[in-house]
Amino acid sequence: MYYCGVCKSIGRRYGNLERFGLVNEMGMLALLLDCISNKAETTEFEIKNCIAHPLKKTPAVKNSLYTDYAADVNVVFAYFKLMDSWQDDKNFFAAVFAKLAFGRAVRKAKKNIPSVYDSIKNNLNKLSAFEKSQCKSIDETAHCFSELMADIFSEAPEIKEHIKSLSEVITEEKLVCLRNLGYYIGKWVYLIDALYDIEDDLKKGSYNPILLRFDYNHKETVSQFKDRIKEPLEFVFHDALGHCCEAWEVLCEDVPDTGKYKDGKAFMENVLYLGMRGKTMRGFLSNESI
């Protein structure tokens, strides 16, 4: 419902073409912010036809502060992802689509979320520089994506006021936890993407921090390489997930166990405690694309 809500928000605020750049994680971002701000219970829903499946009606969040915010973030991400495809692969179609479909939209999004726009742009530029220099440090490269995700979480509209109104005594602790949650989700996302892309990056000769950090030997198969790096890299993944869970437990202390909140908390806990860990484990066993 939140995923569809973000999609419809993009259409309402930017146009239908921009909806095809929707990122799955934006629905989770909107749901998470709704839960910890105690706004979920007042969120409204509507059932309308889906743009991707015109004959199918789906439930979607309606008029939510955080689906609108996620829509803004998604537009910025989609634009820079397309521009990155142009810069890295000289994908002319990506450059044209970025300018035609997202040029006006990204300018509007920049006005809506200026500090988050700057963080995404600056950190992706830093990340690009690390990639061009063939940086071997997974901590340095992941830090760029982690920082922009931390800003996306902590700079969400009205989130500080919502947290303060719920528990003024430990407001600062919760704000730190919110930033930590974004940071370590960002670290996990960046590294899981690199783990699942190992085989494709080898074929294309593309940058991959895991291949460089653990000195991939072209005499070994991908499976052999993953077996060799599994123990030290699993530690990095599980450390990030541990920080995510610690932060979430503090953030949801004041979230009710009733109604929509209960469903939202259950979904988030399923993602943090089971989904992300399962995805990590499968990454060491398969060569599928993420």
Side-chain angles (χ1 to χ4, degrees):
M1 288 185 287
Y2 275 86
Y3 176 83
C4 294
V6 175
C7 181
K8 292 185 183 300
S9 179
I10 294 173
R12 187 179 71 253
R13 293 159 69 82
Y14 295 102
N16 286 327
L17 194 58
E18 288 81 355
R19 295 167 75 177
F20 290 98
L22 181 60
V23 178
N24 287 336
E25 289 76 14
M26 290 302 109
M28 185 183 77
L29 172 67
L31 170 61
L32 185 150
L33 293 173
D34 250 8
C35 276
I36 62 176
S37 65
N38 273 20
K39 287 291 183 182
E41 203 61 47
T42 59
T43 299
E44 298 178 5
F45 299 89
E46 61 182 356
I47 299 178
K48 286 189 174 181
N49 292 89
C50 171
I51 190 172
H53 307 284
L55 300 180
K56 181 180 179 181
K57 290 189 175 183
T58 57
V61 171
K62 176 185 178 183
N63 297 330
S64 162
L65 173 65
Y66 293 121
T67 53
D68 286 348
Y69 174 62
D72 293 337
V73 173
N74 193 96
V75 164
V76 177
F77 259 126
Y79 173 78
F80 283 113
K81 183 177 181 180
L82 287 167
M83 292 307 296
D84 184 62
S85 294
W86 160 246
Q87 292 170 2
D88 290 350
D89 305 324
K90 300 306 177 188
N91 186 327
F92 179 74
F93 174 78
V96 171
F97 190 63
K99 294 298 183 181
L100 293 181
F102 287 91
R104 179 191 61 82
V106 79
R107 289 192 294 272
K108 181 179 177 182
K110 181 180 179 180
K111 292 180 181 179
N112 292 338
I113 51 170
S115 62
V116 172
Y117 172 91
D118 288 340
S119 177
I120 293 173
K121 179 182 178 180
N122 294 336
N123 280 295
L124 288 180
N125 284 340
K126 290 177 185 177
L127 180 56
S128 178
F130 277 129
E131 292 176 350
K132 289 177 181 177
S133 68
Q134 297 289 293
C135 178
K136 289 188 174 184
S137 171
I138 57 176
D139 288 328
E140 284 187 290
T141 50
H143 177 71
C144 299
F145 197 79
S146 301
E147 275 292 300
L148 71 85
M149 286 295 290
D151 288 336
I152 287 171
F153 276 62
S154 61
E155 296 298 322
E158 300 181 22
I159 194 66
K160 295 176 183 178
E161 291 80 0
H162 291 320
I163 289 177
K164 186 175 181 179
S165 69
L166 293 172
S167 56
E168 190 170 350
V169 177
I170 55 171
T171 297
E172 289 305 316
E173 179 188 357
K174 290 208 169 188
L175 291 176
V176 169
C177 286
L178 179 60
R179 186 168 183 85
N180 284 344
L181 181 60
Y183 184 92
Y184 287 104
I185 285 178
K187 185 172 186 177
W188 181 87
V189 167
Y190 180 77
L191 293 178
I192 201 70
D193 188 43
L195 179 63
Y196 274 79
D197 282 349
I198 283 177
E199 189 170 35
D200 285 342
D201 288 339
L202 281 172
K203 291 177 181 178
K204 298 176 182 177
S206 301
Y207 174 82
N208 187 303
I210 294 175
L211 290 170
L212 292 173
R213 165 62 181 82
F214 293 100
D215 298 316
Y216 175 75
N217 183 341
H218 287 274
K219 294 181 180 179
E220 60 186 340
T221 65
V222 171
S223 295
Q224 290 171 334
F225 175 67
K226 286 185 176 182
D227 286 341
R228 175 165 67 82
I229 68 172
K230 183 178 180 181
E231 184 174 345
L233 191 56
E234 264 192 334
F235 175 82
V236 176
F237 277 114
H238 291 313
D239 177 68
L241 290 175
H243 283 292
C244 288
C245 294
E246 288 176 4
W248 170 251
E249 286 168 6
V250 174
L251 287 167
C252 70
E253 283 176 348
D254 300 313
V255 178
D257 285 316
T258 58
K260 297 174 186 175
Y261 293 114
K262 183 177 181 180
D263 294 338
K265 285 174 68 175
F267 176 82
M268 285 304 307
E269 287 168 2
N270 183 64
V271 170
L272 291 171
Y273 301 141
L274 299 174
M276 293 168 76
R277 292 184 185 278
K279 188 74 175 180
T280 301
M281 293 174 62
R282 292 192 299 275
F284 287 100
L285 299 175
S286 68
N287 296 325
E288 63 182 279
S289 171
I290 194 169

